[in-house]
């Protein structure tokens, strides 16, 4: 297993290097002048001002020189200063990660806690009313765009009915109140986990039905094991493999998905930072976000492979 | 150029970011009620401050934040008059070459350090040595500023401090009419606390590579002269302040200020509707909806900004834009009143020249109002030499169809709608428009001087302060790369009036306003752009907030009297 993980990590290096080259080239190919991006439409900028800024941000060097310097800095996690915020990009990202992780992890947990049981129930009561209800729910859940669901949640349950907050992580003055934090998480977490809640039952229902028909399940039952043990020990462990597959890349999906969700719910996370970076054409921030996002994607695939081995030991021996 | 560092700009930037102004809906102080101390003020804003250090700031959100704890020597009162802030006296010599500010007595920073002229000089020198500032030109005429910038001296020779730190004397090489207000913020707009900042940058060094640009205090202001003390910054979420018990006008009644960051104007509107914020700016389209909320009071007042469709007089594809009659036709051919009524919902005023209605120099009594007139527009096009083609599009004198591009920034619904509207209306006068939407920064980059590959663009100016000096916009010397005269306007009469308004010899307000009107008259005739409208500032606040009466000059001029009525 150790060698396997090391091999995968080494394989990731050229991938990440390619991403570095592409993101750097794309941002430099953009027609916008970085100094214009830095100063916006500030009244009364002189040419001397602009020259000074270009020098200060290292924009006067030839592009290859800029890239080599950039590589050297990225190697020590120095992604440069944000054009927009005038601060180190890595600091901006690090201070937002905990906020996004709160949403991502909560959404992952809610998705699994709700989605997995629904999938099992749906399979076990196949053809009966609860099965139909769950299947209908998953179809509707799939059909509804998450941004629309989020907007509806804010406008209806937040602005109109005032049942839930309209956004943010806390009410002002309640920064240390865990209950208030959880209350503020209801909307974004529900919205973010909508996909998982709709997807897992569909996947699991099919898998559980297939596994239920296997000989070893019949054997387990014939041994006189309780149905609960048969389902949790023999059925679920095998049926979960597709769910684990779908978890591959979940880190980036959750971050990518939260770009919209964080914007709708005014959640000060990484997704919203990336969105602002894109709007402001903040190249260093965009580059760092893409590189870190890509690294997370590679990491999540490695984690997925490890999980495979845990769920199905045969996979390690192949 | 110089205007950016001025108090005027700082006041205006704050005004625009937080929305300031004088109420046309006229709230009067709640006389008879006894003010109750306490309470939290929550402002709705979009975006984090880029910095809390004025020398390197270039955005309105940042200036709205640092203006809470750093002040200048002068300010504008509720009537727009220049009055003392940290200085109680100021005097410009008759020859215009010596400016003296005298500080108030017993000024103290929130950390207990005395405020002195050294703080002023330190800030000015920080501006001159900064590599990331855009404000050096404030000191173009100050003796010794250039030498200090280059590391030839250890201080700006033209700025001297005397009278036990209370008297600041500034010597100029040349008359500079806006000096009193422009220099009152030491070039940065507001003044830094020199004692803590000296720990991160020593202004006495002659090493010109050292500067104040990157240090921890830029996001962690160490002391306050304003009504608020910085408490905490939560990125993407809020900036929190507590009241400053050492504020020179006396501790304010409110306990805490929060500038809350929202994703966009719709989120701010929702926060107003649910009572999450105490006051915020709303968009014209939301005005009626928010007006129906009984717990809120609305305020509307003019702003120092205007939107326009500018023409590139040196466009290769549209040479007709160099012709005055064509440009006049393009004004007559656009129903600007309809734009104001239908797109801005009436929350603004049409403008016909450079001075916005909020400015004391504004005078449109003898300006051509260019009432919408399709026939007049066509007539002017034909007088200019254009001939109507069979396809309904005029042909210019070189035979080319009068077809051109107008571009604006994507995401600004108002401007996008104006572009659609203009496309329709110009079609009716025989001018074909090719609309283009792009990001704001890409737009600025495309239309900057002095390319020829752009024709028209819709954008707005929000950087105009109460001072009438608009030299950066219209002077022929600013037809240059990265300067503001993107429309390539050149006129000797205008140049002369702009120079007189900035360089004197008569720097009185009346004389400068008269010069500004000469400029406006000529612009009104030459119409290098279609002046559209000056939008009003639309502010809503919690009804329980007493004495909240912002105007275009300032939001916080009476902050010490604000309180919440239970």
């Amino acid at each position: 297993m150790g060698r396997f993980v090391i091999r995968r990590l080494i394989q990731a290096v050229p991938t990440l290097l390619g991403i570095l080259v592409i993101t750097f080239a794309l941002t430099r190919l953009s027609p916008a002048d970085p100094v214009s991006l830095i100063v916006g439409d500030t009244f009364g900028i002189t040419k001397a001002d602009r020259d000074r800024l270009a020098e200060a941000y290292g924009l006067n060097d030839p592009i290859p020189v800029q890239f080599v310097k950039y590589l050297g800095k990225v190697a020590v996690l120095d992604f440069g200063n944000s054009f927009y915020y005038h601060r180190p990009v890595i600091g901006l990202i690090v201070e937002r990660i905990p906020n996004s992780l709160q949403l991502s992890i909560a959404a992952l947990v809610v998705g699994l806690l709700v989605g997995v049981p629904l999938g099992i129930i749906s399979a076990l009561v196949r053809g009966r009313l609860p099965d139909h209800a769950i299947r209908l729910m998953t179809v509707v859940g799939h059909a509804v765009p998450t941004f629309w669901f989020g907007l509806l949640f804010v406008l209806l349950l937040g602005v109109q009915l005032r049942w839930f907050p309209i956004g943010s992580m806390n009410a002002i003055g309640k920064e240390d109140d865990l209950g208030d934090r959880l209350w503020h998480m209801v909307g974004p977490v529900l919205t973010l986990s909508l996909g998982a809640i709709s997807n897992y039952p569909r996947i699991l229902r099919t898998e559980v039905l297939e596994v239920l028909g296997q000989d070893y399940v019949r054997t387990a039952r014939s041994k006189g094991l309780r149905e609960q043990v048969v389902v949790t020990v023999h059925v679920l462990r095998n049926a979960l493999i597709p769910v684990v597959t779908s978890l591959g890349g979940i880190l980036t999906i959750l971050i990518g998905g939260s770009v919209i969700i964080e914007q709708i719910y005014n959640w000060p996370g990484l997704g919203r930072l990336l969105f602002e970076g894109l709007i402001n054409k903040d190249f260093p921030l965009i580059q760092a976000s893409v590189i870190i996002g890509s690294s997370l994607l590679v990491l999540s695939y490695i984690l997925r492979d490890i999980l495979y081995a845990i769920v199905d030991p045969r996979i390690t021996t192949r | 150029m110089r205007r950016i560092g001025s108090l005027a700009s700082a006041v205006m930037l704050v005004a625009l970011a937080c929305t300031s102004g004088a109420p046309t809906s006229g709230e009067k102080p709640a006389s008879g009620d006894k003010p109750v101390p306490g309470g939290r003020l929550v402002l709705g804003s979009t975006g984090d401050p880029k910095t809390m250090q004025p020398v390197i700031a270039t955005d309105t959100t940042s200036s709205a934040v640092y203006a809470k704890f750093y002040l200048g020597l002068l300010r504008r009162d509720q009537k727009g008059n220049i009055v003392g802030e940290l200085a109680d006296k100021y005097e410009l010599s008759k020859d215009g070459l010596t400016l003296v500010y005298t500080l108030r007595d017993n000024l103290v920073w929130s950390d207990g350090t005395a405020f002195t002229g050294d703080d002023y000089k330190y800030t000015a020198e920080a501006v001159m040595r900064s590599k990331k500032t855009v404000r050096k030109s404030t000191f173009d005429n100050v003796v010794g500023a250039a030498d200090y910038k280059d590391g030839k001296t250890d201080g700006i020779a033209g700025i001297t401090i005397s009278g036990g730190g209370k008297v600041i004397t500034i010597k100029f090489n040349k008359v500079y009419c806006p000096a009193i207000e422009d220099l009152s913020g030491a070039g940065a707009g507001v003044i830094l606390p020199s004692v803590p900042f000296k720990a991160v940058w020593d202004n006495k060094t002659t090493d010109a590579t050292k500067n104040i640009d990157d240090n921890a205090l830029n996001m962690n202001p160490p002391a306050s002269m304003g009504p608020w003390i910085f408490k905490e910054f939560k990125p993407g979420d809020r900036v929190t302040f507590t009241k400053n018990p050492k504020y020179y006008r006396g501790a304010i009644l409110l306990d805490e200020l929060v500038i809350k960051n929202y994703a966009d104007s719709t989120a701010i509107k929702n926060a107003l509707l649910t009572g999450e914020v105490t006051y915020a700016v709303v968009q014209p389209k939301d005005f009626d909806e928010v007006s129906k909320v009984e717990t809120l009071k609305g305020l509307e007042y003019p702003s120092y900004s205007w939107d326009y469709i500018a023409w590139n007089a040196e466009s290769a594809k549209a040479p007709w834009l160099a012709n005055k009659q064509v440009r006049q036709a393009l004004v007559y051919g656009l129903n600007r009143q309809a734009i104001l009524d239908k797109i801005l919902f009436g929350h603004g005023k049409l403008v016909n020249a450079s001075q916005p209605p909020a400015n004391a120099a504004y005078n449109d009594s003898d300006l051509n109002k260019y009432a919408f007139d399709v026939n007049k527009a066509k007539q002017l096009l034909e007088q200019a030499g254009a001939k109507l083609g069979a396809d309904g599009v005029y042909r210019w004198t070189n035979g080319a169809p009068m077809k051109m591009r107008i571009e604006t920034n994507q995401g600004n619904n108002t401007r996008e709608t104006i572009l659609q509207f203009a496309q329709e209306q110009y079609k009716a006068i025989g001018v074909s428009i090719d609309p283009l939407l792009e990001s704001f920064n890409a737009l600025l980059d495309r239309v900057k001087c002095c390319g020829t590959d752009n024709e028209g663009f819709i954008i707005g100016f929000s950087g105009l302060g109460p001072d009438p000096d608009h030299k950066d916009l219209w002077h022929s010397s600013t037809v240059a790369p990265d300067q503001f005269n993107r429309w390539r306007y050149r006129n000797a009469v205008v140049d002369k009036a702009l120079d007189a308004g900035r360089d004197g010899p008569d720097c009185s307000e009346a004389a400068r306003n008269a010069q500004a009107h000469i400029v406006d008259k000529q612009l009104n005739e030459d119409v290098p752009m279609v002046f559209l409208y000056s939008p009003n500032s639309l502010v809503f606040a919690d009804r329980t907030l007493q004495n909240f009466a912002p105007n275009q000059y300032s939001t916080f001029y009476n902050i010490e009297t604000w309180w919440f009525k239970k």
Side-chain angles (χ1 to χ4, degrees), chain B residues 510-530:
Chain B
R512 297 186 68 215
N513 287 350
Q515 297 295 348
H517 190 62
I518 292 171
V519 174
D520 269 0
K521 275 283 282 177
Q522 194 65 47
L523 290 173
N524 180 246
E525 185 187 331
D526 294 343
V527 281
M529 58 175 57
V530 179

Side-chain angles (χ1 to χ4, degrees), chain A residues 153-164, chain B residues 274:
Chain A
F153 189 98
V154 169
L155 289 176
L156 187 63
L157 303 182
V159 178
Q160 295 299 323
L161 299 173
R162 312 278 171 96
W163 290 354
F164 291 96
Chain B
T274 57

